[in-house]
Amino acid sequence: MSTPTNDAPEMLDVLRSGPVGVTSPEDVEKARGDMLPWLESQIAGLPAARNVHRQEKHARRLRAYWVGGGFAVAAAAALAFFVSGSEPEGRDIQASFGDIDDAPRSEPEAFATVVSGRVKSESMEVFVGSRIGLSSRVATTDTEGATLSASTGVQIELDKSTQLSLASGDGAKTPLPNRLVLHQGRADFSVPPLPSGQTFVVRTDDVEVTVIGTKFSVAHEGEFTCVRVSEGKVRVARGGQSETLTRGQSSGCDAQKKDATKTSLRSPRNGASPSTTLAAENALLTRALSAESQGDHARARRAFSALLAQYPQSAFAEDARDGLKRLDRVPSSE
Amino acid sequence: MEIGGADDEQVQETMAALPTPDRSAPRATTPPDEWDEDALLERLLAGDRAAAGALYDTLRPPIDRTLRRVLHHRGPDFEDHVQATFERILRGLAEDRFARRSSLKTWACAIASHVALDALRRIQRERGRSAEMPEQDVLPAGPSPSARIESLNELRRIQGILSDMNPDLAETLVMHDVLGHKLSEIGALRNATESATQSRLHRARAELKRRSVRPINRRQP
């Protein structure tokens, strides 16, 4: 051991030398006896204290992530706005967050955070506050559901005995954080309004639900998948055909006997059956949106107008009016 | 540099003279020499109350020695300082701050020196507020009463300087020059190289020397 040479050690001789008090064996034993019960209680609480510390540490990281992620998303959205501001709205309903995937993301592997409840990933329990990565498959227990909060702002309520994958699951080259696969059980989703051209997708074996910004639930039991919409609008693709669902509508729930009575639809026009008018209304809206996205504004205007004229009480009426307003804003030279 | 070894021996001998603990009792009193440090840590982190006796028996001697060397007395607060040291050790374990770069005993010594320096600062503040000096239970060594009183004054002067110094530098000085730990051990505690620790020690000694030529008791009006 080499040390610098000066007189410091000699100055400290007064500390290093001399008596510092003598303790009798009785005092030592008494001190030990006094200290041990307290020490035992402290040690017994050590695992819990560690857990609390880890969760607090995790929460601090998470807050930092959310702040950083928020800035990154805002910057990316601003960039996307300036770069593609001239493109028509609703140009591609199937577009995904891949539109901004080139934007820097602080922690791309972070996707969802367990907010409450019990979740397991590959038999390991995921604690509240922990993050779940993109490639994870999570499951709730038979007795308790869970709530997840995705980094995209989507809130996911998992029912008991539900299994969900956070990867895209569709063989996409880049797994995007806006795709989920529901393997079993039921999950309720609350999707914040998404920027133009961005969607949120939930897949089961037979259904792909594409969301623009809404609250909805997907239940997948056996061969059946039931989709219910609480707010907003989703598009459901099943067996090569797609339909758009709005608030209060559902799809595939009749096949599930236990849920059949819960299906709620709006009142049909002229006494027609709900399924009859729904299909027609849906066809008109789909035609209008499709035409609008292809730039055929005249055909889109006709379809929106027909929807409003034939089904003025339709749940799609507001969408049709919004569509017409959008078309009105398009310059007449087009 | 081997300083304070006699203190350790004294404590160990005193503890060895204690009656053999009753192994049938629910409280664990397994002798520390039967505990590997890793095993002890593993049981502590698992919340095994039975590890309390082994932890105490393993760490009390180095904690005791560190506190006595810095404070130089066993006042009524001494056991509180020991308890504060154990509390900080357990909190450090709970917060995963023990990175196992040094032995558990060396880490405990560093924490005890921290507690002792905190206590010195508190004592200095109290001395600054009160004209009366706290009672000193043991006078330093000296050939005559006047020499011992002189040593006591010198002790208080050095303690005052340590309490005024930058805490990191004071801790390095205490760990190396008072307790005799190696630079490599101190560096490992701070995740620093030996040369960086030596540089820190050099600065600590320079600050000690610089402060020692200043008039003492400058805090008092």
Side-chain angles (χ1 to χ4, degrees):
Chain A
M1 175 170 55
S2 62
T3 55
T5 54
N6 59 32
D7 59 349
E10 285 71 28
M11 290 170 67
L12 294 170
D13 275 351
V14 68
L15 281 181
R16 290 197 298 259
S17 61
V20 288
V22 178
T23 313
S24 67
E26 292 77 22
D27 287 345
V28 171
E29 175 64 0
K30 181 177 182 303
R32 190 179 191 276
D34 290 345
M35 187 78 74
L36 276 188
W38 171 83
L39 208 50
E40 286 177 1
S41 68
Q42 294 290 307
I43 291 170
L46 200 54
R50 271 186 104 196
N51 236 345
V52 168
H53 172 72
R54 286 183 171 181
Q55 288 182 7
E56 286 174 351
K57 193 174 170 184
H58 208 89
R60 281 196 297 273
R61 276 189 191 169
L62 195 65
R63 278 196 293 274
Y65 166 72
W66 276 97
V67 170
F71 277 119
V73 169
L79 187 65
F81 174 78
F82 285 115
V83 169
S84 59
S86 60
E87 294 185 18
E89 289 182 38
R91 58 195 159 81
D92 183 7
I93 201 167
Q94 287 284 11
S96 68
F97 283 169
D99 291 357
I100 58 168
D101 204 39
D102 292 334
R105 285 182 290 181
S106 55
E107 288 184 53
E109 76 281 5
F111 176 59
T113 307
V114 181
V115 177
S116 65
R118 294 185 65 188
V119 175
K120 286 189 172 182
S121 178
E122 294 175 356
S123 78
M124 296 285 288
E125 182 145 359
V126 184
F127 292 105
V128 170
S130 300
R131 278 179 284 184
I132 300 167
L134 270 180
S135 57
S136 304
R137 178 168 173 159
V138 297
T140 52
T141 62
D142 295 338
T143 56
E144 194 177 347
T147 303
L148 309 182
S149 176
S151 54
T152 51
V154 177
Q155 294 288 322
I156 306 162
E157 302 273 348
L158 298 179
D159 207 354
K160 302 169 191 171
S161 308
T162 296
Q163 292 183 27
L164 187 79
S165 277
L166 302 180
S168 65
D170 58 358
K173 288 179 184 174
T174 307
L176 301 172
N178 63 330
R179 286 178 179 267
L180 302 176
V181 181
L182 181 67
H183 301 281
Q184 180 190 317
R186 173 189 164 126
D188 293 337
F189 302 89
S190 177
V191 184
L194 300 175
S196 174
Q198 295 178 9
T199 55
F200 176 78
V201 178
V202 179
R203 293 187 62 189
T204 65
D205 292 341
D206 57 333
V207 165
E208 179 171 298
V209 184
T210 304
V211 187
I212 296 167
T214 184
K215 286 184 182 177
F216 69 105
S217 69
V218 179
H220 182 54
E221 293 179 16
E223 298 176 351
F224 305 107
T225 299
C226 164
V227 182
R228 296 176 188 280
V229 179
S230 312
E231 283 180 16
K233 181 173 62 179
V234 303
R235 190 171 73 177
V236 180
R238 191 195 302 265
Q241 294 185 337
S242 69
E243 60 179 327
T244 302
L245 301 183
T246 59
R247 182 179 180 177
Q249 292 184 325
S250 59
S251 170
C253 302
D254 292 340
Q256 292 173 302
K257 290 179 183 176
K258 64 179 181 180
D259 286 334
T261 55
K262 296 178 183 175
T263 305
S264 61
L265 290 170
R266 60 182 171 68
S267 299
R269 187 180 73 96
N270 298 332
S273 69
S275 57
T276 308
T277 61
L278 176 61
E281 293 164 32
N282 186 51
L284 279 171
L285 183 66
T286 305
R287 191 192 310 164
L289 290 173
S290 174
E292 185 185 1
S293 67
Q294 291 168 7
D296 188 349
H297 296 158
R299 192 160 64 92
R301 191 182 296 277
R302 282 198 299 276
F304 281 137
S305 301
L307 176 60
L308 284 174
Q310 294 175 34
Y311 308 100
Q313 303 301 319
S314 168
F316 299 142
E318 193 177 335
D319 294 303
R321 279 190 283 273
D322 288 345
L324 287 172
K325 284 177 187 171
R326 281 199 303 275
L327 294 173
D328 287 342
R329 288 198 295 270
V330 175
S332 56
S333 58
E334 292 186 11
Chain B
M1 189 185 293
E2 192 61 42
I3 304 166
D7 294 334
D8 266 350
E9 285 169 15
Q10 179 191 344
V11 174
Q12 295 281 16
E13 283 170 10
T14 307
M15 298 188 79
L18 295 173
T20 307
D22 178 9
R23 290 177 190 275
S24 63
R27 181 179 300 161
T29 49
T30 312
D33 53 1
E34 291 183 13
W35 290 70
D36 172 54
E37 187 172 285
D38 287 338
L40 175 59
L41 280 169
E42 192 179 327
R43 296 186 69 172
L44 286 173
L45 296 177
D48 185 356
R49 303 169 74 103
L55 178 72
Y56 185 89
D57 294 342
T58 303
L59 298 187
R60 174 71 198 231
I63 290 172
D64 209 88
R65 178 169 72 95
T66 303
L67 292 174
R68 281 185 293 130
R69 278 292 144 216
V70 178
L71 299 173
H72 237 262
H73 70 99
R74 297 181 64 92
D77 295 338
F78 191 83
E79 286 303 319
D80 290 345
H81 298 324
V82 173
Q83 185 169 358
T85 305
F86 274 112
E87 191 177 2
R88 290 193 192 187
I89 288 169
L90 291 174
R91 199 189 313 147
L93 289 176
E95 295 176 358
D96 293 330
R97 278 192 273 117
F98 179 52
R100 306 194 188 199
R101 290 188 294 261
S102 65
S103 71
L104 189 60
K105 285 183 182 176
T106 306
W107 188 56
C109 278
I111 292 176
S113 69
H114 212 92
V115 169
L117 288 168
D118 282 352
L120 275 187
R121 289 184 200 101
R122 196 167 55 252
I123 290 169
Q124 293 300 318
R125 281 198 298 272
E126 287 169 3
R127 281 177 183 164
R129 284 198 294 268
S130 168
E132 289 186 19
M133 292 289 200
E135 189 180 347
Q136 184 82 20
D137 57 350
V138 179
L139 288 175
S144 64
S146 62
R148 294 174 70 180
I149 294 292
E150 194 177 327
S151 293
L152 176 60
N153 287 335
E154 177 64 8
L155 171 68
R156 285 178 175 162
R157 191 174 76 92
I158 296 296
Q159 287 178 330
I161 292 172
L162 284 175
S163 66
D164 278 349
M165 282 175 66
N166 173 302
D168 281 349
L169 296 183
E171 197 177 313
T172 303
L173 204 61
V174 166
M175 289 290 287
H176 186 270
D177 287 346
V178 178
L179 301 173
H181 289 283
K182 294 177 181 173
L183 285 173
S184 56
E185 289 177 323
I186 301 168
L189 282 170
R190 298 171 176 274
N191 199 19
T193 62
E194 192 170 330
S195 59
T197 310
Q198 185 167 340
S199 169
R200 184 189 294 270
L201 178 66
H202 184 74
R203 281 189 286 130
R205 286 175 173 175
E207 185 172 343
L208 177 70
K209 191 176 180 182
R210 183 170 54 80
R211 287 177 180 272
S212 69
V213 297
R214 288 182 180 176
I216 58 172
N217 294 333
R218 64 183 188 286
R219 283 181 176 177
Q220 293 181 4

